[in-house]
Amino acid sequence: MSKNKLIHKPLFNPEGDTEVRNRRLIGGNTTNLNDFNNMKYSFVSDWYRQAMNNFWIPEEINLSQDVKDYPKLDEAERKAYDKILSFLVFLDSIQTANLPCIGEYITANEINLCLNIQTFQECVHSQSYSYMLDTICSPEERNEILYQWKTDEHLLKRNEFIGNIYNSFQTNKDARTLLKVMMGNYILEGIYFYSGFMFFYNLARNGKMPGSAQEIRYINRDENTHLWLFRNMIRELREEEPELFDNEMIEELREMLMEGVRQEIAWGHYVIGNDISGLTPKMITDYIEYLGNLRWTSLGYEAIYKGKEKEPQDMAWVSNYSNANMVKTDFFEAKSTAYAKSTALVDDL
Ligand code: ZN
Ligand code: ZN
């Protein structure tokens, strides 16, 4: 296959290859049969089980304390809450719309199974924000928050970076652009959500908006599996198509990650700044650069930000909220639902 050629996945394809060892992430001859018995990508069975165990329903989380807290948030907290929610709605919406575009070119059916489940979960996330907004504020406030990117240039700029990467694949249907879209997903799942998540967790540790933080913890748990999926997809693609990962491409991917980190830090400073009790701009910078290192080294490359290789001590509380392994006893067992019965979360990122 030429270095950059990409073929559209066939649909009904009785002549497709059923031989597992011939299965390929891209450029394969798939039958599209949902075969759970013969899988090439061994992580998929664990991933599938985890994703199914993670099933949750936004309305099962009680927001009555949040209804009382929201009007009492100080101005900086309310502004940050609204803007971060607006950004998260955008991210989950564009994920929902874009994931099927990736799936059209993935010729390993078991990977498409995962992408479809991910798409479903992104829908649930978008709906959870609607539930939060409908519960805590008026319809006018809600609509203002949903479409803030139309009036806030910072928010628009943020959405443009990821939106343009995804858009480029609408016109350039080639392997290099697909890889960049996969990297865009990885950055979105692994870096972009985080200053938002940490803000909600910080509110919760200050005793405010506990229901919102719980919603976010469920979302965070799903996003961890999405990160796991795309990390593995990128690594598998590198095994199968090593010529795609030339020095120029690796440099481009690295630059994308660094731009994602820069944007996340600038955004964190803009929405959170120095006005939120419990968070400072330095904490945001340190944490996001640490995440940048974690994501890039998880792909097998050298750390980018020197001295930021370890989780900053003053941010250790974030994992108490975001790490499902640590919270399942006090958090997941504390709610009365039969769904969240997952055992240890496989999270080796
Ligand atoms: Zn999501
Ligand atoms: Zn996601």
Side-chain angles (χ1 to χ4, degrees), residues 102-137:
I102 298 175
E104 279 183 52
Y105 291 86
I106 299 295
T107 52
N109 197 252
E110 63 226 55
I111 302 291
N112 275 313
L113 293 172
C114 301
L115 290 171
N116 281 307
I117 295 171
Q118 183 183 345
T119 307
F120 162 75
Q121 292 178 334
E122 307 298 14
C123 296
V124 174
H125 302 168
S126 312
Q127 188 258 323
S128 74
Y129 303 131
S130 303
Y131 164 60
M132 286 159 73
L133 292 172
D134 270 343
T135 311
I136 61 169
C137 58

PDB file of all heavy atoms in Angstrom, residues 102-137:
ATOM      1  N   ILE A 102     -14.434   8.193  11.375  1.00  0.00           N
ATOM      2  CA  ILE A 102     -13.220   7.378  11.519  1.00  0.00           C
ATOM      3  C   ILE A 102     -13.563   5.928  11.181  1.00  0.00           C
ATOM      4  O   ILE A 102     -12.860   5.264  10.413  1.00  0.00           O
ATOM      5  CB  ILE A 102     -12.664   7.471  12.963  1.00  0.00           C
ATOM      6  CG1 ILE A 102     -12.264   8.908  13.274  1.00  0.00           C
ATOM      7  CG2 ILE A 102     -11.494   6.514  13.168  1.00  0.00           C
ATOM      8  CD1 ILE A 102     -11.819   9.119  14.715  1.00  0.00           C
ATOM      9  N   GLY A 103     -14.698   5.463  11.737  1.00  0.00           N
ATOM     10  CA  GLY A 103     -15.104   4.076  11.558  1.00  0.00           C
ATOM     11  C   GLY A 103     -15.265   3.676  10.094  1.00  0.00           C
ATOM     12  O   GLY A 103     -15.078   2.514   9.737  1.00  0.00           O
ATOM     13  N   GLU A 104     -15.588   4.641   9.242  1.00  0.00           N
ATOM     14  CA  GLU A 104     -15.757   4.332   7.815  1.00  0.00           C
ATOM     15  C   GLU A 104     -14.485   3.806   7.169  1.00  0.00           C
ATOM     16  O   GLU A 104     -14.522   3.211   6.101  1.00  0.00           O
ATOM     17  CB  GLU A 104     -16.172   5.595   7.060  1.00  0.00           C
ATOM     18  CG  GLU A 104     -17.638   5.929   7.164  1.00  0.00           C
ATOM     19  CD  GLU A 104     -17.956   7.151   6.321  1.00  0.00           C
ATOM     20  OE1 GLU A 104     -17.607   7.168   5.133  1.00  0.00           O
ATOM     21  OE2 GLU A 104     -18.519   8.106   6.890  1.00  0.00           O
ATOM     22  N   TYR A 105     -13.343   4.071   7.805  1.00  0.00           N
ATOM     23  CA  TYR A 105     -12.066   3.667   7.204  1.00  0.00           C
ATOM     24  C   TYR A 105     -11.343   2.606   8.014  1.00  0.00           C
ATOM     25  O   TYR A 105     -10.243   2.206   7.675  1.00  0.00           O
ATOM     26  CB  TYR A 105     -11.180   4.914   6.994  1.00  0.00           C
ATOM     27  CG  TYR A 105     -11.768   5.782   5.912  1.00  0.00           C
ATOM     28  CD1 TYR A 105     -12.745   6.720   6.208  1.00  0.00           C
ATOM     29  CD2 TYR A 105     -11.401   5.586   4.584  1.00  0.00           C
ATOM     30  CE1 TYR A 105     -13.348   7.476   5.205  1.00  0.00           C
ATOM     31  CE2 TYR A 105     -11.984   6.330   3.573  1.00  0.00           C
ATOM     32  CZ  TYR A 105     -12.963   7.275   3.888  1.00  0.00           C
ATOM     33  OH  TYR A 105     -13.542   7.986   2.891  1.00  0.00           O
ATOM     34  N   ILE A 106     -11.973   2.175   9.109  1.00  0.00           N
ATOM     35  CA  ILE A 106     -11.348   1.141   9.950  1.00  0.00           C
ATOM     36  C   ILE A 106     -11.843  -0.224   9.475  1.00  0.00           C
ATOM     37  O   ILE A 106     -13.047  -0.490   9.490  1.00  0.00           O
ATOM     38  CB  ILE A 106     -11.700   1.358  11.443  1.00  0.00           C
ATOM     39  CG1 ILE A 106     -11.185   2.722  11.930  1.00  0.00           C
ATOM     40  CG2 ILE A 106     -11.152   0.214  12.306  1.00  0.00           C
ATOM     41  CD1 ILE A 106      -9.675   2.876  11.948  1.00  0.00           C
ATOM     42  N   THR A 107     -10.906  -1.081   9.067  1.00  0.00           N
ATOM     43  CA  THR A 107     -11.299  -2.362   8.480  1.00  0.00           C
ATOM     44  C   THR A 107     -11.190  -3.526   9.466  1.00  0.00           C
ATOM     45  O   THR A 107     -11.275  -4.679   9.064  1.00  0.00           O
ATOM     46  CB  THR A 107     -10.477  -2.655   7.208  1.00  0.00           C
ATOM     47  OG1 THR A 107      -9.087  -2.514   7.519  1.00  0.00           O
ATOM     48  CG2 THR A 107     -10.842  -1.688   6.093  1.00  0.00           C
ATOM     49  N   ALA A 108     -10.982  -3.222  10.751  1.00  0.00           N
ATOM     50  CA  ALA A 108     -11.006  -4.268  11.774  1.00  0.00           C
ATOM     51  C   ALA A 108     -12.335  -4.124  12.510  1.00  0.00           C
ATOM     52  O   ALA A 108     -12.559  -3.139  13.217  1.00  0.00           O
ATOM     53  CB  ALA A 108      -9.844  -4.098  12.741  1.00  0.00           C
ATOM     54  N   ASN A 109     -13.208  -5.102  12.305  1.00  0.00           N
ATOM     55  CA  ASN A 109     -14.559  -4.942  12.833  1.00  0.00           C
ATOM     56  C   ASN A 109     -14.593  -4.799  14.343  1.00  0.00           C
ATOM     57  O   ASN A 109     -15.411  -4.052  14.896  1.00  0.00           O
ATOM     58  CB  ASN A 109     -15.429  -6.101  12.386  1.00  0.00           C
ATOM     59  CG  ASN A 109     -16.878  -5.756  12.564  1.00  0.00           C
ATOM     60  OD1 ASN A 109     -17.524  -6.271  13.444  1.00  0.00           O
ATOM     61  ND2 ASN A 109     -17.368  -4.822  11.765  1.00  0.00           N
ATOM     62  N   GLU A 110     -13.708  -5.516  15.037  1.00  0.00           N
ATOM     63  CA  GLU A 110     -13.731  -5.438  16.504  1.00  0.00           C
ATOM     64  C   GLU A 110     -13.388  -4.024  17.005  1.00  0.00           C
ATOM     65  O   GLU A 110     -13.853  -3.613  18.059  1.00  0.00           O
ATOM     66  CB  GLU A 110     -12.798  -6.484  17.105  1.00  0.00           C
ATOM     67  CG  GLU A 110     -11.330  -6.303  16.756  1.00  0.00           C
ATOM     68  CD  GLU A 110     -10.663  -7.616  16.322  1.00  0.00           C
ATOM     69  OE1 GLU A 110     -11.180  -8.248  15.371  1.00  0.00           O
ATOM     70  OE2 GLU A 110      -9.661  -7.997  16.922  1.00  0.00           O
ATOM     71  N   ILE A 111     -12.573  -3.303  16.239  1.00  0.00           N
ATOM     72  CA  ILE A 111     -12.272  -1.920  16.612  1.00  0.00           C
ATOM     73  C   ILE A 111     -13.496  -1.034  16.352  1.00  0.00           C
ATOM     74  O   ILE A 111     -13.823  -0.140  17.142  1.00  0.00           O
ATOM     75  CB  ILE A 111     -11.057  -1.376  15.814  1.00  0.00           C
ATOM     76  CG1 ILE A 111      -9.816  -2.259  16.036  1.00  0.00           C
ATOM     77  CG2 ILE A 111     -10.766   0.083  16.182  1.00  0.00           C
ATOM     78  CD1 ILE A 111      -9.210  -2.202  17.410  1.00  0.00           C
ATOM     79  N   ASN A 112     -14.211  -1.323  15.274  1.00  0.00           N
ATOM     80  CA  ASN A 112     -15.444  -0.576  15.014  1.00  0.00           C
ATOM     81  C   ASN A 112     -16.485  -0.803  16.096  1.00  0.00           C
ATOM     82  O   ASN A 112     -17.253   0.105  16.419  1.00  0.00           O
ATOM     83  CB  ASN A 112     -16.004  -0.942  13.636  1.00  0.00           C
ATOM     84  CG  ASN A 112     -15.353  -0.112  12.545  1.00  0.00           C
ATOM     85  OD1 ASN A 112     -15.227   1.107  12.679  1.00  0.00           O
ATOM     86  ND2 ASN A 112     -14.905  -0.761  11.488  1.00  0.00           N
ATOM     87  N   LEU A 113     -16.522  -1.998  16.665  1.00  0.00           N
ATOM     88  CA  LEU A 113     -17.438  -2.250  17.785  1.00  0.00           C
ATOM     89  C   LEU A 113     -17.145  -1.270  18.919  1.00  0.00           C
ATOM     90  O   LEU A 113     -18.042  -0.670  19.503  1.00  0.00           O
ATOM     91  CB  LEU A 113     -17.288  -3.687  18.298  1.00  0.00           C
ATOM     92  CG  LEU A 113     -17.736  -4.814  17.363  1.00  0.00           C
ATOM     93  CD1 LEU A 113     -17.330  -6.171  17.934  1.00  0.00           C
ATOM     94  CD2 LEU A 113     -19.245  -4.763  17.169  1.00  0.00           C
ATOM     95  N   CYS A 114     -15.867  -1.117  19.213  1.00  0.00           N
ATOM     96  CA  CYS A 114     -15.465  -0.203  20.290  1.00  0.00           C
ATOM     97  C   CYS A 114     -15.833   1.242  19.938  1.00  0.00           C
ATOM     98  O   CYS A 114     -16.351   1.984  20.779  1.00  0.00           O
ATOM     99  CB  CYS A 114     -13.958  -0.282  20.543  1.00  0.00           C
ATOM    100  SG  CYS A 114     -13.367  -1.911  21.003  1.00  0.00           S
ATOM    101  N   LEU A 115     -15.561   1.636  18.693  1.00  0.00           N
ATOM    102  CA  LEU A 115     -15.849   3.022  18.292  1.00  0.00           C
ATOM    103  C   LEU A 115     -17.346   3.324  18.396  1.00  0.00           C
ATOM    104  O   LEU A 115     -17.743   4.426  18.764  1.00  0.00           O
ATOM    105  CB  LEU A 115     -15.358   3.278  16.862  1.00  0.00           C
ATOM    106  CG  LEU A 115     -13.837   3.324  16.689  1.00  0.00           C
ATOM    107  CD1 LEU A 115     -13.468   3.369  15.198  1.00  0.00           C
ATOM    108  CD2 LEU A 115     -13.222   4.528  17.412  1.00  0.00           C
ATOM    109  N   ASN A 116     -18.163   2.314  18.083  1.00  0.00           N
ATOM    110  CA  ASN A 116     -19.615   2.516  18.189  1.00  0.00           C
ATOM    111  C   ASN A 116     -20.056   2.677  19.639  1.00  0.00           C
ATOM    112  O   ASN A 116     -20.922   3.495  19.945  1.00  0.00           O
ATOM    113  CB  ASN A 116     -20.355   1.359  17.529  1.00  0.00           C
ATOM    114  CG  ASN A 116     -20.393   1.508  16.024  1.00  0.00           C
ATOM    115  OD1 ASN A 116     -20.805   2.543  15.501  1.00  0.00           O
ATOM    116  ND2 ASN A 116     -19.925   0.512  15.300  1.00  0.00           N
ATOM    117  N   ILE A 117     -19.470   1.892  20.527  1.00  0.00           N
ATOM    118  CA  ILE A 117     -19.812   2.032  21.947  1.00  0.00           C
ATOM    119  C   ILE A 117     -19.348   3.400  22.440  1.00  0.00           C
ATOM    120  O   ILE A 117     -20.058   4.091  23.177  1.00  0.00           O
ATOM    121  CB  ILE A 117     -19.175   0.900  22.777  1.00  0.00           C
ATOM    122  CG1 ILE A 117     -19.794  -0.439  22.368  1.00  0.00           C
ATOM    123  CG2 ILE A 117     -19.363   1.144  24.278  1.00  0.00           C
ATOM    124  CD1 ILE A 117     -19.104  -1.642  22.959  1.00  0.00           C
ATOM    125  N   GLN A 118     -18.158   3.795  22.015  1.00  0.00           N
ATOM    126  CA  GLN A 118     -17.670   5.116  22.407  1.00  0.00           C
ATOM    127  C   GLN A 118     -18.636   6.212  21.939  1.00  0.00           C
ATOM    128  O   GLN A 118     -18.958   7.132  22.691  1.00  0.00           O
ATOM    129  CB  GLN A 118     -16.267   5.382  21.853  1.00  0.00           C
ATOM    130  CG  GLN A 118     -15.737   6.731  22.328  1.00  0.00           C
ATOM    131  CD  GLN A 118     -14.369   7.096  21.764  1.00  0.00           C
ATOM    132  OE1 GLN A 118     -13.666   6.253  21.223  1.00  0.00           O
ATOM    133  NE2 GLN A 118     -14.010   8.358  21.893  1.00  0.00           N
ATOM    134  N   THR A 119     -19.108   6.094  20.691  1.00  0.00           N
ATOM    135  CA  THR A 119     -20.043   7.098  20.160  1.00  0.00           C
ATOM    136  C   THR A 119     -21.284   7.180  21.040  1.00  0.00           C
ATOM    137  O   THR A 119     -21.746   8.266  21.404  1.00  0.00           O
ATOM    138  CB  THR A 119     -20.445   6.736  18.715  1.00  0.00           C
ATOM    139  OG1 THR A 119     -19.265   6.536  17.948  1.00  0.00           O
ATOM    140  CG2 THR A 119     -21.285   7.837  18.079  1.00  0.00           C
ATOM    141  N   PHE A 120     -21.815   6.024  21.409  1.00  0.00           N
ATOM    142  CA  PHE A 120     -22.977   5.977  22.290  1.00  0.00           C
ATOM    143  C   PHE A 120     -22.680   6.689  23.621  1.00  0.00           C
ATOM    144  O   PHE A 120     -23.477   7.489  24.110  1.00  0.00           O
ATOM    145  CB  PHE A 120     -23.366   4.509  22.537  1.00  0.00           C
ATOM    146  CG  PHE A 120     -24.249   4.304  23.741  1.00  0.00           C
ATOM    147  CD1 PHE A 120     -25.592   4.636  23.700  1.00  0.00           C
ATOM    148  CD2 PHE A 120     -23.722   3.786  24.918  1.00  0.00           C
ATOM    149  CE1 PHE A 120     -26.394   4.460  24.825  1.00  0.00           C
ATOM    150  CE2 PHE A 120     -24.523   3.610  26.039  1.00  0.00           C
ATOM    151  CZ  PHE A 120     -25.864   3.941  25.992  1.00  0.00           C
ATOM    152  N   GLN A 121     -21.494   6.411  24.177  1.00  0.00           N
ATOM    153  CA  GLN A 121     -21.164   7.035  25.465  1.00  0.00           C
ATOM    154  C   GLN A 121     -21.035   8.553  25.337  1.00  0.00           C
ATOM    155  O   GLN A 121     -21.426   9.290  26.244  1.00  0.00           O
ATOM    156  CB  GLN A 121     -19.881   6.422  26.024  1.00  0.00           C
ATOM    157  CG  GLN A 121     -20.091   4.970  26.435  1.00  0.00           C
ATOM    158  CD  GLN A 121     -18.830   4.297  26.956  1.00  0.00           C
ATOM    159  OE1 GLN A 121     -17.721   4.684  26.603  1.00  0.00           O
ATOM    160  NE2 GLN A 121     -19.000   3.285  27.781  1.00  0.00           N
ATOM    161  N   GLU A 122     -20.493   9.029  24.189  1.00  0.00           N
ATOM    162  CA  GLU A 122     -20.385  10.478  24.008  1.00  0.00           C
ATOM    163  C   GLU A 122     -21.779  11.111  23.955  1.00  0.00           C
ATOM    164  O   GLU A 122     -21.980  12.235  24.428  1.00  0.00           O
ATOM    165  CB  GLU A 122     -19.597  10.833  22.736  1.00  0.00           C
ATOM    166  CG  GLU A 122     -18.212  10.188  22.594  1.00  0.00           C
ATOM    167  CD  GLU A 122     -17.180  10.551  23.663  1.00  0.00           C
ATOM    168  OE1 GLU A 122     -17.546  11.111  24.714  1.00  0.00           O
ATOM    169  OE2 GLU A 122     -15.986  10.250  23.439  1.00  0.00           O
ATOM    170  N   CYS A 123     -22.754  10.381  23.397  1.00  0.00           N
ATOM    171  CA  CYS A 123     -24.153  10.868  23.412  1.00  0.00           C
ATOM    172  C   CYS A 123     -24.648  10.996  24.848  1.00  0.00           C
ATOM    173  O   CYS A 123     -25.280  11.988  25.205  1.00  0.00           O
ATOM    174  CB  CYS A 123     -25.089   9.908  22.685  1.00  0.00           C
ATOM    175  SG  CYS A 123     -24.790   9.723  20.951  1.00  0.00           S
ATOM    176  N   VAL A 124     -24.375   9.978  25.652  1.00  0.00           N
ATOM    177  CA  VAL A 124     -24.815  10.004  27.055  1.00  0.00           C
ATOM    178  C   VAL A 124     -24.165  11.197  27.771  1.00  0.00           C
ATOM    179  O   VAL A 124     -24.821  11.895  28.552  1.00  0.00           O
ATOM    180  CB  VAL A 124     -24.462   8.678  27.774  1.00  0.00           C
ATOM    181  CG1 VAL A 124     -24.788   8.754  29.259  1.00  0.00           C
ATOM    182  CG2 VAL A 124     -25.192   7.514  27.127  1.00  0.00           C
ATOM    183  N   HIS A 125     -22.887  11.446  27.476  1.00  0.00           N
ATOM    184  CA  HIS A 125     -22.210  12.575  28.129  1.00  0.00           C
ATOM    185  C   HIS A 125     -22.891  13.891  27.756  1.00  0.00           C
ATOM    186  O   HIS A 125     -23.153  14.728  28.610  1.00  0.00           O
ATOM    187  CB  HIS A 125     -20.727  12.625  27.746  1.00  0.00           C
ATOM    188  CG  HIS A 125     -19.986  11.379  28.100  1.00  0.00           C
ATOM    189  ND1 HIS A 125     -18.728  11.108  27.644  1.00  0.00           N
ATOM    190  CD2 HIS A 125     -20.336  10.318  28.872  1.00  0.00           C
ATOM    191  CE1 HIS A 125     -18.329   9.923  28.116  1.00  0.00           C
ATOM    192  NE2 HIS A 125     -19.291   9.430  28.865  1.00  0.00           N
ATOM    193  N   SER A 126     -23.169  14.060  26.453  1.00  0.00           N
ATOM    194  CA  SER A 126     -23.835  15.299  26.021  1.00  0.00           C
ATOM    195  C   SER A 126     -25.170  15.440  26.739  1.00  0.00           C
ATOM    196  O   SER A 126     -25.532  16.526  27.210  1.00  0.00           O
ATOM    197  CB  SER A 126     -24.098  15.289  24.511  1.00  0.00           C
ATOM    198  OG  SER A 126     -22.947  14.917  23.806  1.00  0.00           O
ATOM    199  N   GLN A 127     -25.893  14.338  26.835  1.00  0.00           N
ATOM    200  CA  GLN A 127     -27.209  14.394  27.483  1.00  0.00           C
ATOM    201  C   GLN A 127     -27.073  14.672  28.984  1.00  0.00           C
ATOM    202  O   GLN A 127     -27.920  15.344  29.567  1.00  0.00           O
ATOM    203  CB  GLN A 127     -27.957  13.079  27.226  1.00  0.00           C
ATOM    204  CG  GLN A 127     -29.411  13.090  27.687  1.00  0.00           C
ATOM    205  CD  GLN A 127     -29.580  12.363  29.005  1.00  0.00           C
ATOM    206  OE1 GLN A 127     -28.922  11.356  29.238  1.00  0.00           O
ATOM    207  NE2 GLN A 127     -30.454  12.870  29.853  1.00  0.00           N
ATOM    208  N   SER A 128     -25.985  14.204  29.595  1.00  0.00           N
ATOM    209  CA  SER A 128     -25.817  14.466  31.027  1.00  0.00           C
ATOM    210  C   SER A 128     -25.645  15.968  31.282  1.00  0.00           C
ATOM    211  O   SER A 128     -26.133  16.498  32.274  1.00  0.00           O
ATOM    212  CB  SER A 128     -24.639  13.678  31.599  1.00  0.00           C
ATOM    213  OG  SER A 128     -23.412  14.244  31.203  1.00  0.00           O
ATOM    214  N   TYR A 129     -24.978  16.665  30.350  1.00  0.00           N
ATOM    215  CA  TYR A 129     -24.836  18.125  30.522  1.00  0.00           C
ATOM    216  C   TYR A 129     -26.197  18.801  30.390  1.00  0.00           C
ATOM    217  O   TYR A 129     -26.499  19.751  31.101  1.00  0.00           O
ATOM    218  CB  TYR A 129     -23.863  18.707  29.491  1.00  0.00           C
ATOM    219  CG  TYR A 129     -22.487  18.067  29.526  1.00  0.00           C
ATOM    220  CD1 TYR A 129     -21.879  17.612  28.360  1.00  0.00           C
ATOM    221  CD2 TYR A 129     -21.803  17.909  30.730  1.00  0.00           C
ATOM    222  CE1 TYR A 129     -20.625  17.015  28.383  1.00  0.00           C
ATOM    223  CE2 TYR A 129     -20.555  17.310  30.758  1.00  0.00           C
ATOM    224  CZ  TYR A 129     -19.964  16.859  29.583  1.00  0.00           C
ATOM    225  OH  TYR A 129     -18.742  16.265  29.618  1.00  0.00           O
ATOM    226  N   SER A 130     -27.021  18.317  29.457  1.00  0.00           N
ATOM    227  CA  SER A 130     -28.367  18.880  29.310  1.00  0.00           C
ATOM    228  C   SER A 130     -29.163  18.678  30.592  1.00  0.00           C
ATOM    229  O   SER A 130     -29.878  19.576  31.039  1.00  0.00           O
ATOM    230  CB  SER A 130     -29.112  18.204  28.158  1.00  0.00           C
ATOM    231  OG  SER A 130     -28.390  18.333  26.982  1.00  0.00           O
ATOM    232  N   TYR A 131     -29.033  17.493  31.164  1.00  0.00           N
ATOM    233  CA  TYR A 131     -29.726  17.199  32.421  1.00  0.00           C
ATOM    234  C   TYR A 131     -29.231  18.141  33.527  1.00  0.00           C
ATOM    235  O   TYR A 131     -30.029  18.705  34.280  1.00  0.00           O
ATOM    236  CB  TYR A 131     -29.494  15.733  32.790  1.00  0.00           C
ATOM    237  CG  TYR A 131     -29.814  15.376  34.225  1.00  0.00           C
ATOM    238  CD1 TYR A 131     -31.094  15.545  34.749  1.00  0.00           C
ATOM    239  CD2 TYR A 131     -28.815  14.861  35.065  1.00  0.00           C
ATOM    240  CE1 TYR A 131     -31.376  15.208  36.073  1.00  0.00           C
ATOM    241  CE2 TYR A 131     -29.089  14.530  36.382  1.00  0.00           C
ATOM    242  CZ  TYR A 131     -30.368  14.708  36.886  1.00  0.00           C
ATOM    243  OH  TYR A 131     -30.640  14.385  38.189  1.00  0.00           O
ATOM    244  N   MET A 132     -27.916  18.338  33.598  1.00  0.00           N
ATOM    245  CA  MET A 132     -27.372  19.239  34.624  1.00  0.00           C
ATOM    246  C   MET A 132     -27.914  20.654  34.427  1.00  0.00           C
ATOM    247  O   MET A 132     -28.379  21.296  35.366  1.00  0.00           O
ATOM    248  CB  MET A 132     -25.833  19.251  34.553  1.00  0.00           C
ATOM    249  CG  MET A 132     -25.202  17.979  35.113  1.00  0.00           C
ATOM    250  SD  MET A 132     -23.506  17.681  34.501  1.00  0.00           S
ATOM    251  CE  MET A 132     -22.577  18.915  35.398  1.00  0.00           C
ATOM    252  N   LEU A 133     -27.872  21.130  33.180  1.00  0.00           N
ATOM    253  CA  LEU A 133     -28.314  22.503  32.904  1.00  0.00           C
ATOM    254  C   LEU A 133     -29.811  22.658  33.146  1.00  0.00           C
ATOM    255  O   LEU A 133     -30.251  23.658  33.720  1.00  0.00           O
ATOM    256  CB  LEU A 133     -27.963  22.892  31.465  1.00  0.00           C
ATOM    257  CG  LEU A 133     -26.464  23.044  31.180  1.00  0.00           C
ATOM    258  CD1 LEU A 133     -26.205  23.234  29.693  1.00  0.00           C
ATOM    259  CD2 LEU A 133     -25.872  24.215  31.972  1.00  0.00           C
ATOM    260  N   ASP A 134     -30.584  21.682  32.701  1.00  0.00           N
ATOM    261  CA  ASP A 134     -32.028  21.763  32.901  1.00  0.00           C
ATOM    262  C   ASP A 134     -32.393  21.772  34.371  1.00  0.00           C
ATOM    263  O   ASP A 134     -33.390  22.353  34.777  1.00  0.00           O
ATOM    264  CB  ASP A 134     -32.731  20.558  32.238  1.00  0.00           C
ATOM    265  CG  ASP A 134     -33.114  20.869  30.805  1.00  0.00           C
ATOM    266  OD1 ASP A 134     -33.143  22.067  30.456  1.00  0.00           O
ATOM    267  OD2 ASP A 134     -33.377  19.927  30.042  1.00  0.00           O
ATOM    268  N   THR A 135     -31.573  21.092  35.172  1.00  0.00           N
ATOM    269  CA  THR A 135     -31.878  20.985  36.594  1.00  0.00           C
ATOM    270  C   THR A 135     -31.464  22.239  37.360  1.00  0.00           C
ATOM    271  O   THR A 135     -32.196  22.709  38.219  1.00  0.00           O
ATOM    272  CB  THR A 135     -31.163  19.753  37.206  1.00  0.00           C
ATOM    273  OG1 THR A 135     -31.423  18.637  36.374  1.00  0.00           O
ATOM    274  CG2 THR A 135     -31.644  19.469  38.608  1.00  0.00           C
ATOM    275  N   ILE A 136     -30.297  22.782  37.022  1.00  0.00           N
ATOM    276  CA  ILE A 136     -29.788  23.865  37.886  1.00  0.00           C
ATOM    277  C   ILE A 136     -30.078  25.268  37.388  1.00  0.00           C
ATOM    278  O   ILE A 136     -29.973  26.214  38.146  1.00  0.00           O
ATOM    279  CB  ILE A 136     -28.269  23.727  38.141  1.00  0.00           C
ATOM    280  CG1 ILE A 136     -27.500  23.791  36.827  1.00  0.00           C
ATOM    281  CG2 ILE A 136     -27.943  22.457  38.927  1.00  0.00           C
ATOM    282  CD1 ILE A 136     -26.021  23.915  37.015  1.00  0.00           C
ATOM    283  N   CYS A 137     -30.413  25.440  36.111  1.00  0.00           N
ATOM    284  CA  CYS A 137     -30.662  26.826  35.680  1.00  0.00           C
ATOM    285  C   CYS A 137     -31.876  26.953  34.765  1.00  0.00           C
ATOM    286  O   CYS A 137     -32.473  25.948  34.362  1.00  0.00           O
ATOM    287  CB  CYS A 137     -29.412  27.445  35.068  1.00  0.00           C
ATOM    288  SG  CYS A 137     -28.726  26.583  33.676  1.00  0.00           S
TER     289      CYS A 137
END
